[in-house]
Amino acid sequence: MLAHVIYLLIMTILALSVPHPAVQTVSGTLITVGLIGAWRYAWAGINLARAAYYLNFAYPRRRKNAVEAYQARGLKDHTFFLVTTYKIAPDISTRVYRSIFEAAYHAKGGATIVASIVDEADARLIRQVMASVASRNPGSEAMVALKIDKIAGTGKRDALATSLRSIAKLNPGRNDIVIFVDGDSCVPVDVIDRSLPFFTDPSVGAVTTDEYSDTKGGRLFRDWFDLRFCQRHVMMSSMSLGERVLTLTGRMSIFRANLATDSGFVDLVRNDFIDHWRLGRVHFLTGDDKSTWYWLLQRGYKMLYLPDLCTVSIETQPNSGFMDSATVLMTRWFGNMLRTNARALALPASQIGYFTWWSILDQAISIWTTLAGPASILLATFFVSPWILPLYFAWVMFTRYCMCTIIMAFRKRSFPVTFPFLLYFSQVGGAVIKSFILFRLDRQRWTRQSAAKTGSYSLPLGQRLKAHSSTYMHGLALGWLILGVAYVGNLI
């Protein structure tokens, strides 16, 4: 509580420290920042209102109707778990597979766990966990089977495709489901019973759930992930109101089995790519969750968010420093998004929903609107008056504090004083990273896998030319942005 009082006191001192004549000299820039902020916060307000309506009215009604339809049908559908495990610590794997087998033994229609592994030690651990859970569920009527796919360590996409083909050979029914689970995510024990009813609607292709972060790392890293998942809860709720979420989270999402085993779906998971006018063919290393999302979006299937089911994601800080770790993760996340969004925008808005289409477009526009504010402030500091800085800092502290208060109201709990700073970092730092990636879509990196070869050798001429052209295009875009905010703010 004391930290919040100090925070608000500093914000007030910054705002009141600026003399009135200084405010008038930077009024043009303040108006520019205010207009951009009004646009961004109006869009945020729309999503907040949609999320509140979805959570309090639309979703309870949808769940009630889905459960009634499922009970009326009277069938017990089978569930397949597809789990990918690669370079995961044994204690984490034990925890993850225990949650999966517990859920499987509560499945009324039975369950099959298909585990994709690289190391034989993981196979022994999985069998031990299965035996342990089975001994604690002696009266369970659920039929639980285990299949282990051992593959070479050629990446998650190969692992998913191989195991999906294994599931296809088991002839899943139309109403059966496949639950994709990462090797570091724990599923809720009632995930099957609470998700199956939504698939009584034949137009539903997949659902994803709420997430809770069990993060290993420094305090800032833990707070950052906590905030991100709170933001995710709001945005997923808003998008699900239109029955099209913007991603099917790779940590844990649930698919209709006959769609997940479709040959086209499997082929796209294994070998997805885009053809870029300047970079040529870019094969996707990461971003399988965006590939599966796009396949369903392209075919008009609904993709829903279930806020009353919560997956536990066990996050490990990839690097020692917070900034390095956040940059690595955002580079991967935003790269996956940007490589997929352009082709999603090419789909008819009438097919995917006008709100969904605009939300995808907004993800691209927000890169530049987010950067426009800080750019105009820096220009005004150098060319008009440095007094704009304390005003801007006070504005940032006030608006981010208000946003965090509203976001956390959806979780019905308080937040640490680090959240407003982390929110600003995610917005501005994320926009910087997005702008960098936008012109370098061929660069991909995963914490346990890299698309870029490392070494002291020199790159081929073609790759060097691409790199130089990316730098030129990026610099040109930033130059136009700076010129635009300077003109609008009456700085030139």
Side-chain angles (χ1 to χ4, degrees), residues 55 69 126 186 218-219 240 277 302 315 373 401 404 441 457 471:
L55 293 170
I126 293 166
C186 299
R219 171 65 186 275
S240 191
W277 68 274
K302 297 177 183 176
E315 306 289 345
Y401 193 90
C404 288
L441 294 176
Y457 62 89
T471 302

Side-chain angles (χ1 to χ4, degrees), residues 346-367:
L347 298 175
S350 58
Q351 173 186 327
I352 66 176
Y354 291 98
F355 189 84
T356 303
W357 188 89
W358 174 258
S359 297
I360 297 170
L361 178 62
D362 178 74
Q363 288 184 334
I365 296 173
S366 65
I367 299 173

Side-chain angles (χ1 to χ4, degrees), residues 65-79 109 173-177 192-193 195-204 256:
N65 293 338
V67 170
E68 289 176 351
Y70 188 68
Q71 291 175 343
R73 198 176 64 184
L75 298 177
K76 296 180 180 179
D77 302 309
H78 194 76
T79 299
R174 173 177 174 77
N175 296 309
D176 293 343
I177 58 174
I192 297 171
D193 287 343
S195 59
L196 268 172
F198 289 91
F199 290 91
T200 55
D201 180 354
S203 63
V204 172
R256 189 179 295 277

Side-chain angles (χ1 to χ4, degrees), residues 84-120:
T84 53
T85 301
Y86 178 63
K87 290 186 178 181
I88 304 293
D91 60 321
I92 295 177
S93 289
T94 299
R95 183 177 169 187
V96 168
Y97 279 98
R98 183 179 292 121
S99 75
I100 291 169
F101 282 112
E102 289 285 358
Y105 277 100
H106 282 79
K108 294 182 177 65
T112 300
I113 291 89
V114 180
S116 178
I117 66 166
V118 175
D119 192 339
E120 184 61 34

Side-chain angles (χ1 to χ4, degrees), residues 251-473:
R251 292 292 190 185
M252 204 281 279
S253 289
I254 307 165
F255 296 79
R256 189 179 295 277
N258 69 318
L259 299 179
T261 54
D262 182 278
S263 59
F265 184 97
V266 177
D267 289 342
L268 192 69
V269 168
R270 167 161 272 169
N271 186 33
D272 198 3
F273 61 87
I274 56 171
D275 288 317
H276 191 272
W277 68 274
R278 182 172 53 85
L279 301 172
R281 176 156 294 187
V282 179
H283 289 274
F284 292 5
L285 172 65
T286 61
D288 56 273
D289 52 344
K290 298 298 283 187
S291 298
T292 56
W293 169 79
Y294 177 71
W295 193 90
L296 293 174
L297 186 74
Q298 190 179 36
R299 287 156 181 78
Y301 285 100
K302 297 177 183 176
M303 293 169 278
L304 308 177
Y305 174 59
L306 311 185
D308 55 353
L309 274 175
C310 190
T311 305
V312 177
S313 297
I314 306 170
E315 306 289 345
T316 303
Q317 188 168 330
N319 296 324
S320 57
F322 166 70
M323 291 292 292
D324 289 345
S325 299
T327 300
V328 166
L329 291 172
M330 286 195 292
T331 298
R332 174 162 60 89
W333 297 335
F334 298 149
N336 296 337
M337 178 191 76
L338 292 170
R339 278 184 287 273
T340 303
N341 277 12
R343 60 183 180 178
L345 280 173
L347 298 175
S350 58
Q351 173 186 327
I352 66 176
Y354 291 98
F355 189 84
T356 303
W357 188 89
W358 174 258
S359 297
I360 297 170
L361 178 62
D362 178 74
Q363 288 184 334
I365 296 173
S366 65
I367 299 173
W368 308 109
T369 55
T370 302
L371 291 177
S376 61
I377 294 298
L378 290 175
L379 288 173
T381 300
F382 284 109
F383 297 109
V384 181
S385 171
W387 281 112
I388 197 172
L389 281 178
L391 277 177
Y392 179 67
F393 291 151
W395 166 256
V396 167
M397 293 177 71
F398 172 73
T399 53
R400 273 53 179 192
Y401 193 90
C402 291
M403 283 300 299
C404 288
T405 301
I406 297 171
I407 290 169
M408 297 310 296
F410 284 84
R411 293 295 198 192
K412 298 179 181 179
R413 64 182 178 87
S414 59
F415 59 91
V417 77
T418 55
F419 270 26
F421 300 106
L422 291 171
L423 179 59
Y424 183 74
F425 164 75
S426 293
Q427 291 170 337
V428 178
V432 170
I433 292 172
K434 288 176 188 175
S435 73
F436 182 86
I437 296 170
L438 184 62
F439 298 98
R440 300 166 180 85
L441 294 176
D442 54 332
R443 295 195 187 184
Q444 300 173 66
R445 186 171 294 275
W446 183 33
T447 50
R448 293 190 290 269
Q449 183 182 21
S450 174
K453 297 179 180 179
T454 58
S456 58
Y457 62 89
S458 60
L459 292 173
L461 177 61
Q463 292 188 29
R464 292 203 302 273
L465 290 175
K466 284 182 183 179
H468 290 315
S469 69
S470 296
T471 302
Y472 169 75
M473 297 292 290

